Amino acid sequence: MSVRVRFAPSPTGFLHIGGLRTALYNYLFARHHGGKFILRIEDTDQARYVEGAEDDIIDSLLWAGIDYDEGPKREGDYGPYRQSERKYMYHEYAEKLIEEGHAYYAFDTTEEIDEMRERLKKSGNPSPKYDSITRQSMKNSLTLPQDEVQKKLEDGDEYVVRLKVPRKEEVRFEDEIRGVVSFDTSGLDDQVLLKSDGMPTYHLANVVDDHTMGITHVIRGEEWLSSTPKHILLYNAFGWEPPKMAHLPLIMSPSGGKLSKRKAESEGIPVNTKDYIAGHYIPEALVNFLAYLGWSPGDDSEIHSMEELCELFTLDRVSKGGAVFNFKKLMWYNENYIREHSVEELMTDVKELAAEAGWDISDEEYLKQVIELLHERVSKIDEFISMGDFFYNAPSEYDEKAAKKWKDDSVTLISDYKESISALAEGEFDAATLKSKLEEVIEAHEVGFGKLAMPLRLAVTGQGFGPDLFPSIEMLGKEETVSRIDAAVQRLS
Ligand code: GLU
């Protein structure tokens, strides 16, 4: 059997980070087995359709390196890959179910259904359903005479198609991650399969598509687990063998509970993939992090390329329990990947941000040196800009906390230092000499290194921390350094 899996997002908004993880696991699984990864757009809910969402999904996947084999804009043998373009199929299949006695037309209005629910509630049923019992007293093709049904259909009366969910039956299936899962059908409504607007519901479209697209494994989020019994009933009704099922653990917020959009926002966690793109995160880092969000290879290794992840990934190592989104860990990954990238590789992204920041980057060598000096210190690409701004602009203000280190004796110390470096010839203005000059001054004054280094860093960079000080001063050059020291003495004393 050759593996075919799918990622089936609804284009209802930007691609959520949880969706990206689902796509990634499907992709890894497909590649691990030499199978195919399909992208299917589930756009049957027209009320929730968001213009541009499909593009966002595709852009996000490709940015992350999750390439799909078949899908919109990449037609294969099982298309079309947008459900709105497969509408005719769902009708055919719904009719087939009706013919074979597994589904029926229902003509009840919303008011009539509400009335039924109210009535049953009053007689002590806390959660009344449209089910095997109540359907017998409702307006549908099981209760109405055949000619009346025919007439209603011909007159174009509104109807839905419902699945005849069997009464009190146990639906069991083996989940690849959770083991045997069983549900009792007595908790289920007669599921609507076709809506009155002629569109299929998620359940019908999902099952018809998974079957007709030859999907072998359904790998999706845990929130869909409760839909699976309905899907199994549908597979049974069609006489089709269901694909293997695997439900991924929920993504949890660090403070507990599901990582909802609201929760993520309040905890400073970007929730949409586009935020990671805009935030200049390293895609490989996000992928590596997401791979470990609910899965691990079973040893203590942590850094893996996409290729290695494809090789390592198996469903039996996916955890059942919720996976906590540890943002610090993501930053750790990002930092690691930045270090692994060469200066040349980082150049494009940094240049883009530098241009936005208004840096004059005509001197490429200089920019390269800036990146080199900061390479070990940043954990995100945009920090090259925040930490490196002093290479292009004299500090317009001084970090408040760091400015507290500017003490009474700072002026004397820094002035002595300024004098000593002002005397240096052009060719002597290098990091090693700049350091030895500082040592001379602190020895003469019998003070510790920080007594001068701190105010000096503050004067030159405006910050309390940053890249190695002496190479930075060397890059700024004598004139600029001296002028920054003068400015600091004036403004901080
Ligand atoms: N359209 C569903 C979603 O938005 C697909 C769920 C599934 O994978 O079956 O996630």
Side-chain angles (χ1 to χ4, degrees):
M1 176 181 70
S2 109
V3 162
R4 286 176 63 82
V5 292
R6 85 308 193 266
F7 175 51
S10 302
T12 54
F14 298 113
L15 180 61
H16 188 278
I17 198 72
L20 188 66
R21 186 197 59 169
T22 301
L24 174 65
Y25 282 22
N26 274 283
Y27 173 83
L28 296 178
F29 185 78
R31 292 291 173 266
H32 183 88
H33 293 281
K36 294 269 186 270
F37 171 60
I38 290 110
L39 173 64
R40 180 172 77 227
I41 301 295
E42 301 210 325
D43 57 349
T44 56
D45 192 346
Q46 287 169 328
R48 294 182 61 218
Y49 181 82
V50 171
E51 195 71 44
E54 181 185 309
D55 285 340
D56 174 77
I57 291 165
I58 293 177
D59 292 348
S60 298
L61 292 180
L62 298 184
W63 171 80
I66 303 173
D67 213 351
Y68 57 97
D69 302 302
E70 296 167 29
K73 299 177 189 162
R74 209 163 284 185
E75 296 301 315
D77 297 338
Y78 298 80
Y81 295 92
R82 281 183 205 98
Q83 289 188 327
S84 56
E85 292 164 19
R86 302 168 68 82
K87 207 172 142 184
Y88 65 96
M89 287 177 65
Y90 310 125
H91 279 254
E92 278 170 24
Y93 282 106
E95 265 153 40
K96 192 169 153 221
L97 286 181
I98 296 171
E99 267 164 38
E100 290 171 3
H102 296 297
Y104 58 91
Y105 297 106
F107 301 97
D108 320 86
T109 61
T110 323
E111 292 75 38
E112 285 164 341
I113 294 174
D114 288 346
E115 222 170 79
M116 174 267 281
R117 289 191 206 274
E118 276 313 305
R119 191 159 24 86
L120 287 177
K121 261 191 195 156
K122 272 191 199 134
S123 64
N125 182 343
S127 55
K129 298 191 172 54
Y130 199 122
D131 60 12
S132 58
I133 310 240
T134 51
R135 74 165 85 106
Q136 292 167 27
S137 57
M138 301 299 286
K139 242 193 254 164
N140 54 51
S141 57
L142 303 171
T143 57
L144 298 172
Q146 181 117 39
D147 51 346
E148 198 176 322
V149 171
Q150 209 48 45
K151 183 159 186 312
K152 277 181 174 301
L153 293 176
E154 275 158 22
D155 291 352
D157 281 11
E158 275 205 354
Y159 68 84
V160 299
V161 173
R162 285 180 182 269
L163 180 68
K164 241 166 114 178
V165 173
R167 188 163 178 233
K168 278 202 182 147
E169 214 173 75
E170 197 194 19
V171 182
R172 284 163 75 88
F173 59 92
E174 171 105 25
D175 187 279
E176 299 289 298
I177 295 165
R178 274 146 229 280
V180 174
V181 180
S182 86
F183 279 89
D184 188 339
T185 57
S186 61
L188 300 179
D189 251 311
D190 274 359
Q191 179 61 50
V192 172
L193 302 176
L194 274 187
K195 295 181 277 188
S196 56
D197 64 1
M199 278 298 200
T201 54
Y202 154 69
H203 306 285
L204 176 66
N206 194 266
V207 164
V208 166
D209 287 349
D210 282 343
H211 178 73
T212 54
M213 290 184 171
I215 299 302
T216 57
H217 297 73
V218 166
I219 303 171
R220 62 184 167 201
E222 186 183 314
E223 62 273 30
W224 302 101
L225 186 63
S226 60
S227 295
T228 306
K230 297 177 187 174
H231 299 177
I232 301 287
L233 288 173
L234 271 169
Y235 283 105
N236 292 346
F238 281 120
W240 297 336
E241 169 149 10
K244 293 211 174 352
M245 299 285 174
H247 290 87
L248 306 176
L250 287 179
I251 298 181
M252 313 294 282
S253 130
S255 67
K258 197 179 153 187
L259 184 74
S260 64
K261 202 171 143 63
R262 203 165 38 89
K263 224 177 199 163
E265 266 161 20
S266 74
E267 291 175 30
I269 299 175
V271 78
N272 295 318
T273 313
K274 78 165 172 65
D275 302 329
Y276 291 87
I277 303 177
H280 295 269
Y281 285 76
I282 306 283
E284 293 92 330
L286 183 62
V287 160
N288 201 152
F289 168 77
L290 287 179
Y292 275 73
L293 196 57
W295 170 87
S296 87
D299 52 28
D300 51 14
S301 65
E302 292 189 288
I303 305 270
H304 289 292
S305 66
M306 185 72 104
E307 224 181 353
E308 290 163 358
L309 289 170
C310 290
E311 211 164 282
L312 291 167
F313 186 84
T314 53
L315 284 176
D316 60 353
R317 298 221 55 93
V318 175
S319 62
K320 291 191 200 57
V324 177
F325 194 105
N326 180 347
F327 193 67
K328 278 206 189 107
K329 189 81 202 190
L330 170 60
M331 293 314 283
W332 178 83
Y333 271 112
N334 209 59
E335 204 173 298
N336 264 286
Y337 276 88
I338 287 184
R339 296 221 178 123
E340 272 183 22
H341 279 39
S342 67
V343 172
E344 279 68 31
E345 284 170 324
L346 295 165
M347 207 52 169
T348 320
D349 271 319
V350 177
K351 265 189 181 167
E352 195 187 312
L353 288 173
E356 275 170 31
W359 291 2
D360 171 10
I361 49 170
S362 49
D363 183 346
E364 194 148 313
E365 251 335 286
Y366 188 81
L367 180 60
K368 263 194 194 154
Q369 285 173 31
V370 169
I371 299 179
E372 263 161 28
L373 273 178
L374 292 167
H375 203 170
E376 299 285 312
R377 297 186 190 264
V378 301
S379 50
K380 258 178 93 232
I381 297 268
D382 51 7
E383 287 172 4
F384 278 112
I385 307 304
S386 52
M387 280 192 188
D389 194 58
F390 75 88
F391 285 109
Y392 291 89
N393 297 300
S396 56
E397 52 193 34
Y398 300 95
D399 178 74
E400 231 173 87
K401 219 169 117 202
K404 293 209 175 95
K405 294 268 154 71
W406 186 276
K407 296 275 161 45
D408 293 344
D409 57 353
S410 297
V411 177
T412 323
L413 288 165
I414 209 168
S415 303
D416 276 7
Y417 184 65
K418 183 186 97 175
E419 221 148 277
S420 127
I421 63 168
S422 300
L424 290 174
E426 207 49 54
E428 291 173 329
F429 203 83
D430 56 61
T433 313
L434 289 164
K435 186 169 179 221
S436 71
K437 291 291 163 199
L438 182 134
E439 280 157 357
E440 278 173 29
V441 175
I442 58 169
E443 266 163 40
H445 287 267
E446 291 180 347
V447 294
F449 187 84
K451 272 281 186 194
L452 174 52
M454 287 288 226
L456 180 59
R457 177 181 289 284
L458 184 68
V460 172
T461 73
Q463 300 292 328
F465 67 94
D468 284 347
L469 186 56
F470 302 106
S472 303
I473 296 179
E474 177 186 336
M475 280 176 64
L476 288 171
K478 187 158 85 177
E479 204 181 311
E480 182 62 25
T481 306
V482 165
S483 117
R484 288 188 189 189
I485 291 175
D486 286 341
V489 168
Q490 249 193 8
R491 291 165 62 190
L492 290 165
S493 299

